[in-house]
């Protein structure tokens, strides 16, 4: 036996059946009276019979906690759901239980309501920018096609929640009503002005002009005025997605718009004294040779453990790369006086840069939750099946679980973690401790009511790092996805793969010798290639490197994976590397009738 896996503890938390009497979904009466009447609710559901395996080709010590989530039964607002979706022909099999999605149709990028003012942007304060928590209620807006499961007819759909777990669906907050937004109300942001007025800024366009549009108030009572238009010579279709605005100590409002100049992605800065008239700044906030930038986000983060803000505060610039459909971020110093943003020297723009998520995660947006003083990240995950499948299902797109996001204590990257609120959904617990698994072996986690909705927390301890294979010099400079594709889930290495296999989707680590400074290279992969044999699925191997010195941790590395029917969302090394992947479990179920066991 060249290597083996030791599990010393496995805890498994299942999600338990939600008791209708205990539902914490906000009642209509908790929704502020300024909001329209709810038209539906996001119902948590139960799905059965998947299996979860822990596997390894490596000697490891493992602690695992898995809890299945409590699930939606005939909850109090189920009647609302039935009324709202009575004409549905949706395919339920892949629908998520606790990842946000409306009852039917297409969704994409989400947009938050925020609050920003000069005091909040004061660098002395810890976490300046905005809130999405408005008059006691969280608001989620998202791009939505009210007429079908493909992109088009885009409106700002609207949902509200008091706990970020259960959501009440409201009528669209904004939909096209004028010639300038005839093509839809596209992505943008919102502010709550110092006088309490909510203001939405969104992208609209009508050839040949593109104009972010301002709308005051909430619900459908809007007054629209195009406020920012692309300058002469700018490409109107490449003028996108205003950020939440912020106000500097000088009282001037600022916001950023994503655009491009030839192949150069640009974060264009705009100024306003009164939030009504906006003018371009003398220069862009930042740019990169990456192609079009869309859905920019610019906000401060603080490293926990660093008191007083000061050196522990950085400003993050996140951009969504239209060309690759991946998101990258840098962070660094931002000076209001000169409106200069200087990313930290170690950070790169574009493909060599850091990503929030190395999987299916795009058009994300953060907001400051002033109720709990934390920054929360929302991101959108597209389907992995074909457009024809989406039409047949009747829906497409989900939101990732809302994640808390902050600066790592070493100041080298951002760290994310699912909001603690979703732990309220945890139900049955399976706890496995000190389990030894021999090299090339796996074990099935028994005792789960269903592994189709589970919260898995695992800690692996590699016994013999010396056995790690060498990092191939040919991979230097390559992205993690390339390395992982070269060494898939079934390719045995010296240390790894070890990890989880949820039916045929594998989430695993590999460890190599020969990294920079003699450190080991740790790779986290998500390999859905065996999750279906269908040809028309998008199922690349996703991967990210994990910035952990595994020799210093005694060979230990942690993995948390949220499984929710067609979503497998993983957080490696306590949230340093995140990978969301969509899997087609229905197809897996069909396949498993013929092939009941996973690959061994
Ligand atoms: N989706 C929106 C655009 C944005 C893109 C349109 C990102 O505003 O640039 O639905 O996916």
């Amino acid at each position: 036996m060249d290597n083996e896996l030791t599990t010393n503890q496995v805890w498994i938390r299942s999600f338990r059946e939600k008791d209708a009497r205990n539902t914490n979904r906000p009642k209509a009466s908790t929704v502020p009276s300024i909001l329209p009447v709810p038209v539906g609710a996001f119902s948590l559901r139960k799905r059965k019979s998947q299996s979860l395996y822990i596997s390894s080709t490596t000697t490891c010590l493992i602690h695992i906690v898995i809890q299945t989530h409590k699930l939606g039964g005939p909850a109090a607002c189920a009647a609302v759901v039935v009324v709202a979706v009575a004409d549905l022909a949706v395919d339920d099999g892949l629908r998520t239980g606790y990842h946000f999605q409306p009852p039917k149709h297409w969704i994409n990028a989400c947009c938050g309501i925020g609050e920003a003012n000069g005091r909040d942007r004061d660098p002395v304060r810890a976490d300046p920018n905005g809130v999405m928590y408005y008059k006691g209620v969280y608001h989620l807006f998202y791009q939505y096609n009210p007429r079908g499961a493909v992109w088009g007819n885009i409106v700002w759909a609207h949902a509200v929640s008091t706990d970020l777990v259960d959501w009440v669906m409201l009528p669209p907050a904004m939909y096209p009503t004028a010639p300038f937004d005839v093509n839809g109300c596209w992505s943008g942001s919102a502010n709550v002005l110092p006088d309490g007025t909510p203001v939405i800024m969104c992208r609209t366009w009508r050839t040949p002009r593109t104009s972010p549009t301002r709308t005051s108030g909430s619900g459908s009572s809007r007054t629209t005025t195009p406020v920012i238009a692309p300058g002469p010579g700018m490409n109107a279709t490449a003028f996108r997605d205003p950020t939440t605005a912020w106000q500097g100590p000088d009282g001037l409002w600022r916001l950023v718009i994503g655009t491009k100049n030839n192949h150069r992605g640009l974060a264009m800065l705009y100024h306003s004294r009164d939030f009504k008239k906006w003018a371009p700044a003398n220069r862009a906030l930042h740019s990169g040779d990456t192609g079009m930038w869309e859905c920019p986000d610019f906000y401060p983060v603080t490293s926990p453990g660093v008191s007083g803000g000061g050196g522990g505060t950085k400003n993050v610039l996140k951009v969504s790369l239209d060309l690759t459909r991946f998101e990258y971020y840098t962070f660094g110093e931002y000076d209001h006086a000169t409106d200069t943003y200087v990313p930290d020297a170690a950070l790169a723009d574009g493909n060599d840069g850091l990503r929030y998520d190395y999987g299916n995660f795009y058009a994300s947006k953060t907001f400051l939750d002033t109720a709990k003083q934390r920054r929360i990240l929302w991101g959108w995950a597209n389907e992995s099946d074909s457009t024809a499948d989406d039409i047949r299902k009747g829906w497409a797109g989900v939101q990732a679980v809302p994640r808390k996001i902050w600066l790592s204590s070493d100041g080298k990257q951002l760290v994310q973690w699912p909001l603690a609120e979703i732990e309220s959904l945890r139900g049955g617990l399976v706890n496995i401790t000190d389990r030894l698994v021999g090299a090339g072996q796996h074990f099935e986690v028994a005792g789960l009511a269903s592994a189709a909705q589970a919260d898995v927390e695992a800690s692996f301890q590699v016994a013999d790092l010396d056995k790690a294979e060498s990092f191939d010099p040919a991979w230097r400079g390559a992205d993690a996805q390339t390395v992982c594709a070269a060494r898939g889930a079934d390719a045995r290495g010296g240390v790894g793969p070890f990890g989880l296999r949820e039916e045929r989707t594998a989430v695993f680590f590999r460890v190599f010798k020969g990294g920079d400074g003699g450190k080991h290279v740790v790779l986290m992969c998500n390999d859905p290639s065996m999750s279906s044999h269908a040809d028309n699925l998008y199922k690349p191997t996703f991967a990210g490197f994990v910035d952990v010195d595994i020799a210093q941790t005694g060979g230990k590395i942690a993995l948390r994976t949220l499984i929710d029917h067609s979503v497998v969302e993983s957080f490696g090394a306590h949230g340093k590397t995140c990978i969301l992947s969509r899997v087609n479990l229905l197809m897996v179920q069909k396949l498993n009738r013929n092939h009941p066991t996973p690959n061994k």
Side-chain angles (χ1 to χ4, degrees):
M1 181 187 296
D2 56 354
N3 50 39
E4 62 181 7
L5 174 78
T6 307
T7 307
N8 74 353
Q9 194 176 35
V10 179
W11 296 318
I12 301 175
R13 296 197 179 96
S14 59
F15 293 133
R16 65 185 160 80
E17 190 77 38
K18 188 166 193 172
D19 186 334
R21 289 159 299 185
N22 293 334
T23 183
N24 55 356
R25 184 173 291 118
K27 307 290 182 295
S29 58
T30 67
V31 177
S33 56
I34 57 160
L35 296 172
V37 177
V39 295
F42 177 55
S43 178
L44 303 169
R45 293 148 194 268
K46 182 173 185 176
R47 195 72 42 216
K48 288 207 184 283
S49 332
Q50 306 298 326
S51 298
L52 194 67
Y53 300 84
I54 311 298
S55 64
S56 178
T57 62
T58 299
T59 303
C60 283
L61 195 63
I62 302 182
H63 304 259
I64 300 182
V65 183
I66 304 179
Q67 229 169 347
T68 50
H69 273 170
K70 64 185 180 185
L71 304 150
C77 56
V80 179
V81 176
V82 171
V83 169
V85 301
D87 60 341
L88 268 188
V90 296
D91 181 337
D92 263 0
L94 303 172
R95 287 182 63 78
T96 54
Y98 58 96
H99 285 77
F100 179 93
Q101 59 180 146
K104 59 180 177 175
H105 296 333
W106 166 276
I107 72 167
N108 61 297
C110 66
C111 326
I113 189 164
E115 179 175 278
N117 58 43
R119 282 168 298 126
D120 280 344
R121 269 275 163 182
D122 184 334
V124 172
R125 290 176 60 128
D127 199 355
N129 206 359
V131 298
M132 193 175 167
Y133 189 67
Y134 179 63
K135 295 191 176 174
V137 175
Y138 293 97
H139 293 253
L140 175 65
F141 302 102
Y142 53 97
Q143 299 273 286
Y144 179 62
N145 180 356
R147 295 194 212 144
V150 296
W151 185 90
N153 314 303
I154 293 295
V155 306
W156 273 42
H158 189 187
V160 288
S161 172
T162 53
D163 60 6
L164 294 157
V165 174
D166 292 311
W167 293 88
V168 173
M169 307 294 174
L170 299 178
M174 202 159 54
Y175 44 88
T177 56
F180 64 78
D181 61 8
V182 66
N183 290 313
C185 302
W186 291 6
S187 299
S189 304
N191 280 76
V192 180
L193 298 184
D195 69 359
T197 308
V199 178
I200 292 172
M201 304 279 284
C202 82
R203 173 189 176 202
T204 67
W205 69 280
R206 179 181 61 134
T207 308
R209 290 171 66 81
T210 298
S211 307
T213 305
R214 188 172 75 98
T215 175
S216 297
S218 61
S220 58
S221 62
R222 67 186 188 130
T223 56
T224 49
T225 318
V227 289
I228 303 176
M234 290 180 74
N235 179 348
T237 61
F239 192 70
R240 303 184 179 187
D241 316 331
T243 62
T244 299
W246 70 96
Q247 197 174 25
D250 54 6
L252 197 64
W253 287 96
R254 287 123 167 123
L255 64 76
V256 166
I257 284 178
T259 184
K260 67 173 179 179
N261 184 1
N262 295 319
H263 190 257
R264 193 152 197 90
L266 287 167
M268 292 280 291
L269 188 65
Y270 285 80
H271 289 156
S272 176
R273 280 268 158 231
D274 59 3
F275 220 97
K276 293 175 186 160
K277 296 194 193 83
W278 291 83
N282 291 335
R283 58 175 184 272
L285 187 72
H286 195 51
S287 70
D289 190 21
T290 61
M292 172 76 208
W293 286 359
E294 56 183 11
C295 300
D297 199 8
F298 189 60
Y299 58 92
V301 286
T302 302
S303 176
V306 180
S307 59
T313 300
K314 297 277 182 186
N315 278 270
V316 176
L317 177 64
K318 184 278 302 182
V319 294
S320 307
L321 293 199
D322 191 33
L323 285 181
T324 62
R325 293 269 140 177
F326 291 134
E327 300 197 306
Y328 294 86
Y329 68 85
T330 56
F331 51 80
E333 305 301 325
Y334 169 62
D335 180 7
H336 269 104
T338 55
D339 265 332
T340 312
Y341 168 65
V342 181
D344 284 5
L347 305 177
D349 292 304
N351 292 340
D352 295 330
L354 294 169
R355 285 167 57 179
Y356 283 159
D357 193 295
Y358 292 83
N360 182 343
F361 188 93
Y362 196 66
S364 69
K365 182 87 192 164
T366 64
F367 74 100
L368 182 72
D369 174 11
T370 50
K372 296 194 174 171
Q373 289 303 319
R374 57 188 173 175
R375 183 157 289 274
I376 296 177
L377 169 69
W378 284 92
W380 161 63
N382 204 351
E383 295 306 290
S384 59
D385 51 13
S386 67
T387 301
D389 286 331
D390 294 344
I391 293 168
R392 180 187 53 76
K393 294 195 314 241
W395 59 273
V398 302
Q399 300 286 354
V401 290
R403 304 170 180 180
K404 183 177 166 184
I405 186 166
W406 68 96
L407 185 64
S408 64
S409 52
D410 62 9
K412 284 164 64 180
Q413 65 167 106
L414 299 177
V415 185
Q416 299 157 64
W417 200 244
L419 291 193
E421 280 87 337
I422 69 158
E423 291 166 24
S424 68
L425 297 173
R426 286 172 168 177
L429 171 69
V430 176
N431 185 345
I432 302 170
T433 304
D434 290 338
R435 175 71 72 104
L436 177 65
V437 180
Q441 294 182 348
H442 71 272
F443 68 92
E444 178 171 358
V445 175
L448 291 174
S450 163
Q453 287 190 306
D455 184 347
V456 182
E457 288 186 276
S459 167
F460 302 91
Q461 185 171 9
V462 176
D464 196 353
L465 283 173
D466 289 342
K467 289 185 175 156
E469 64 191 300
S470 293
F471 194 71
D472 188 334
W475 293 334
R476 290 213 178 276
D479 63 21
Q481 198 161 332
T482 305
V483 179
C484 210
R487 309 288 283 133
D490 293 318
R492 196 151 159 178
V495 177
F498 54 93
L500 310 178
R501 195 184 279 273
E502 205 267 342
E503 291 293 349
R504 290 167 185 264
T505 296
V507 185
F508 60 92
F509 296 104
R510 282 184 181 283
V511 181
F512 301 93
K513 279 193 274 209
D516 291 341
K519 275 179 26 179
H520 291 86
V521 176
V522 180
L523 187 64
M524 177 175 156
C525 303
N526 183 107
D527 183 356
S529 58
M530 297 301 295
S531 70
S532 167
H533 293 160
D535 294 331
N536 58 351
L537 301 184
Y538 174 65
K539 47 179 185 178
T541 296
F542 292 126
F545 292 112
V546 190
D547 185 25
V548 59
D549 188 345
I550 197 163
Q552 291 298 314
T553 65
K556 279 187 190 168
I557 190 159
L559 174 67
R560 182 173 181 192
T561 296
L562 299 173
I563 300 164
D564 191 4
H565 306 303
S566 59
V567 174
V568 175
E569 188 172 1
S570 299
F571 301 82
H574 306 287
K576 284 187 158 182
T577 301
C578 308
I579 301 178
L580 191 155
S581 142
R582 303 298 310 281
V583 293
N584 194 327
L585 296 177
L586 271 195
M587 303 196 77
V588 173
Q589 284 170 341
K590 283 180 203 148
L591 282 167
N592 283 346
R593 283 185 206 124
N594 299 324
H595 309 282
T597 51
N599 294 339
K600 291 184 179 172

